Amino acid sequence: MAGGFAVVSSKPGGGIKQGKITWYVWICGIIAATSGLMFGYDIGISGGVTAMDDFLLLFFPSVYARKHRARENNYCKFDDQRLQLFTSSLYLAALVASFVASRDCTVLGRKRTMQAASVFFLAGTALCACASGLAMLIVGRVCLGAGVGFGNQAAPLFLSEIAPARIRGALNILFQLNVTIGILVANVVNYFASEIHPLGWRYALGGAAAPAAVLFLGSLVITETPTSLVERGREVDGRKTLERIRGTADVDDEYEEIRAACALAREMVAEEAPYRRLLRRESRPPLVIAIAMQVFQQFTGINALMFYAPVLFQTMGFATDGSLLSAVVTGGVNVASTVVSIVLVDRVGRRKLLLEACAQMLVAQVAVGGIMLAHVRADGTPGDGWAVGLVVLICVYVSSFAWSWGPLGWLIPSETFPLETRTAGFSFAVSSNMLFTFLIAQAFLSMMCAMRAYIFFFFAGWIVVMGTFVLVLLPETKGVPIDEMVDRVWRRHWFWKRCFGDNANEARVNNC
């Protein structure tokens, strides 16, 4: 595609690679990122649906009874393991699916894996919207989880591989932007569906069919990534695709880099399977970073808030309508702040955004915990002023997450693995994310019942750990071509360089 604007990126040795950031790249990126829209919708819709009386009465009558009991403990009224399983089952299924999706990404390509994700999404949506019993509802959520596992494995890799190094961060964050848009749309749908009795919850769950259909139809027309084509032996197609997405025939340097990386990957895979290779010392830096980013992303407490935002706001003293509206407000802040990340990530870098966000989230979490502790009793509600203050503080917290740990939690693992372990390594990132998302989703309401306001201090403690990790161990990857990470990032980092040496003994001596 001819349209676009020029980009110049550096090459080791002082060379220059010319190319364009074409409109075709952005179109492919937007379509691929629709997988994030589906993921976000699933995150946002569950919390609103579980706050709807019609849904609770049909599937969780005991929770419905506790919710309307006059003197029920605010912190414990939604504490039900089956209710939490409705939310968390999706992420347990996604954990398992991510390992299958890893192999599909390598054998079938990123594009086909996204198509499979859309089919799972459509099947899961139909089952959930038509569910007549809890078992059918959970099976639908499991199908949605398989879609999340496949989509979250393929889409970030796709985005990182089609993007020029100069805008890789911005293009990859389209995935997280779509996640936030999906959450916002789900919150808006929940707000209006809650007034439709008794079928509002079915409309809310069935609304996921729209982004699923967009992903399915869009995945039929987008290209495969040049790296995936060359990796699977289709070098001529890979070259043509690279020329198309760069808007120029002058792609010799980048194409040779891709060919060299694929040749090296094939040689290494022939010697040792990718998952076994991840056990090597030189694979440790990106693997540790990838898993740590996912664990920390969940222990910010963000998904606890996004899953159960309406429930949490009801605990804070808002009526059902007010709680859903507050969730819409925080969802809007989430979207706007993710746009900030798109603008800044390739300018100020990954580390600065993460560190600034840690400070902002820490202040917000401690303040929310303090207000809840002082002004929200188990059987009462805060005054209007304190309730509004809580919403403002949560918006401050959400905004900082949305321009940092949200998008960068997916971006950094997708760009730091060498090709020979890229899909295998990223599957560990996806599965780690899904595992800890499952744990938080399954445990949060029970934790809130047991810990009450102290749950916010629990997450604040983790934010301190996260900030320390970034300060000490996370290298900056801004502007580094994806296939040059080992030489330009890991081998130069003060700590991780000890994992690399002329031989295994040298790395062992360096205590990597």
Side-chain angles (χ1 to χ4, degrees):
M1 189 172 183
F5 49 96
V7 59
V8 179
S9 60
S10 61
K11 181 184 178 184
I16 297 293
K17 291 185 292 188
Q18 298 287 345
K20 294 180 180 179
I21 303 171
T22 61
W23 298 117
Y24 185 63
V25 164
W26 284 106
I27 291 170
C28 287
I30 290 169
I31 292 173
T34 306
S35 176
L37 186 66
M38 189 70 221
F39 183 33
Y41 191 90
D42 284 330
I43 290 174
I45 208 70
S46 58
V49 166
T50 54
M52 296 182 189
D53 286 348
D54 295 320
F55 177 82
L56 293 175
L57 192 59
L58 180 60
F59 295 105
F60 307 98
S62 62
V63 177
Y64 174 84
R66 286 205 307 273
K67 177 182 175 182
H68 292 278
R69 194 174 298 157
R71 301 294 295 176
E72 180 61 47
N73 187 323
N74 276 336
Y75 289 101
C76 298
K77 64 175 69 175
F78 292 95
D79 180 19
D80 184 275
Q81 288 299 310
R82 294 189 310 155
L83 180 62
Q84 291 173 122
L85 182 63
F86 163 71
T87 298
S88 65
S89 57
L90 185 152
Y91 303 98
L92 189 60
L95 187 160
V96 177
S98 64
F99 288 103
V100 180
S102 170
R103 179 166 177 78
D104 283 356
C105 269
T106 300
V107 176
L108 302 178
R110 287 50 159 161
K111 174 180 174 178
R112 298 299 182 197
T113 305
M114 285 188 286
Q115 287 176 342
S118 67
V119 173
F120 281 119
F121 282 140
L122 288 168
T125 297
L127 287 168
C128 287
C130 299
S132 57
L134 184 59
M136 186 175 178
L137 190 69
I138 297 300
V139 171
R141 293 288 288 178
V142 168
C143 286
L144 290 172
V148 168
F150 274 71
N152 286 22
Q153 172 72 25
L157 291 177
F158 180 93
L159 293 167
S160 287
E161 289 180 350
I162 67 168
R166 188 175 178 181
I167 63 159
R168 187 176 61 245
L171 191 66
N172 191 284
I173 290 173
L174 284 177
F175 177 80
Q176 181 66 19
L177 178 63
N178 273 264
V179 173
T180 62
I181 292 173
I183 293 171
L184 175 60
V185 170
N187 287 334
V188 173
V189 170
N190 281 332
Y191 180 73
F192 289 103
S194 66
E195 300 299 321
I196 304 174
H197 303 287
L199 300 179
W201 66 269
R202 293 192 187 275
Y203 297 140
L205 293 176
V214 171
L215 178 62
F216 177 76
L217 295 174
S219 66
L220 298 176
V221 299
I222 62 175
T223 186
E224 182 56 272
T225 71
T227 299
S228 179
L229 290 168
V230 175
E231 182 182 29
R232 290 180 286 135
R234 298 170 57 184
E235 295 192 357
V236 174
D237 291 337
R239 168 91 189 202
K240 290 179 180 178
T241 299
L242 185 62
E243 291 176 358
R244 186 181 185 190
I245 65 176
R246 295 292 179 261
T248 177
D250 184 16
V251 294
D252 292 343
D253 292 337
E254 187 174 3
Y255 179 66
E256 288 305 318
E257 278 186 7
I258 293 173
R259 283 191 61 197
C262 290
L264 180 61
R266 281 193 290 267
E267 180 182 332
M268 291 183 173
V269 168
E271 296 175 357
E272 191 173 27
Y275 282 105
R276 286 186 61 85
R277 192 165 190 85
L278 283 173
L279 300 177
R280 287 175 170 260
R281 283 176 170 76
E282 58 267 27
S283 297
R284 196 164 299 167
L287 183 62
V288 169
I289 294 295
I291 293 175
M293 291 295 293
Q294 305 309 311
V295 174
F296 290 147
Q297 186 189 74
Q298 297 312 306
F299 276 95
T300 60
I302 187 65
N303 274 343
L305 173 63
M306 290 304 175
F307 292 150
Y308 301 115
V311 171
L312 185 60
F313 283 123
Q314 284 189 39
T315 296
M316 292 176 175
F318 291 84
T320 300
D321 288 348
S323 67
L324 290 171
L325 184 59
S326 298
V328 171
V329 171
T330 57
V333 171
N334 198 13
V335 173
S337 300
T338 304
V339 175
V340 173
S341 184
I342 292 176
V343 174
L344 294 181
V345 66
D346 290 312
R347 298 182 183 182
V348 304
R350 284 64 161 154
R351 278 169 48 88
K352 289 181 180 178
L353 286 177
L354 291 170
L355 290 171
E356 185 282 332
C358 283
Q360 189 170 325
M361 286 191 294
L362 180 62
V363 171
Q365 285 274 29
V366 171
V368 169
I371 293 174
M372 294 283 286
L373 190 63
H375 299 282
V376 181
R377 301 186 306 276
D379 58 352
T381 60
D384 291 343
W386 289 114
V388 172
L390 286 169
V391 173
V392 171
L393 284 169
I394 288 177
C395 286
V396 169
Y397 162 77
V398 168
S399 66
S400 58
F401 176 88
W403 64 54
S404 60
W405 287 90
L408 300 185
W410 295 107
L411 168 61
I412 291 172
S414 74
E415 67 182 2
T416 50
F417 285 98
L419 182 59
E420 61 268 18
T421 57
R422 188 170 298 157
T423 59
F426 194 69
S427 72
F428 271 95
V430 175
S431 60
S432 298
N433 186 284
M434 294 303 117
L435 173 61
F436 283 89
T437 303
F438 165 76
L439 293 175
I440 291 293
Q442 186 64 31
F444 176 71
L445 294 179
S446 298
M447 290 172 64
M448 187 166 66
C449 179
M451 300 174 68
R452 303 191 180 186
Y454 291 101
I455 192 169
F456 296 96
F457 300 116
F458 169 80
F459 288 124
W462 276 100
I463 290 171
V464 174
V465 175
M466 293 158 47
T468 304
F469 179 86
V470 171
L471 193 63
V472 176
L473 293 177
L474 185 70
E476 181 56 69
T477 55
K478 178 185 71 171
V480 180
I482 192 171
D483 291 315
E484 299 176 16
M485 289 289 171
V486 171
D487 290 330
R488 294 180 58 179
V489 173
W490 303 117
R491 288 183 181 274
R492 299 182 184 183
H493 188 266
W494 75 271
F495 180 82
W496 296 118
K497 67 181 181 182
R498 68 185 65 195
C499 295
F500 301 89
D502 295 333
N503 53 59
N505 288 331
E506 184 177 338
R508 190 176 294 113
V509 169
N510 288 332
N511 294 319
C512 172

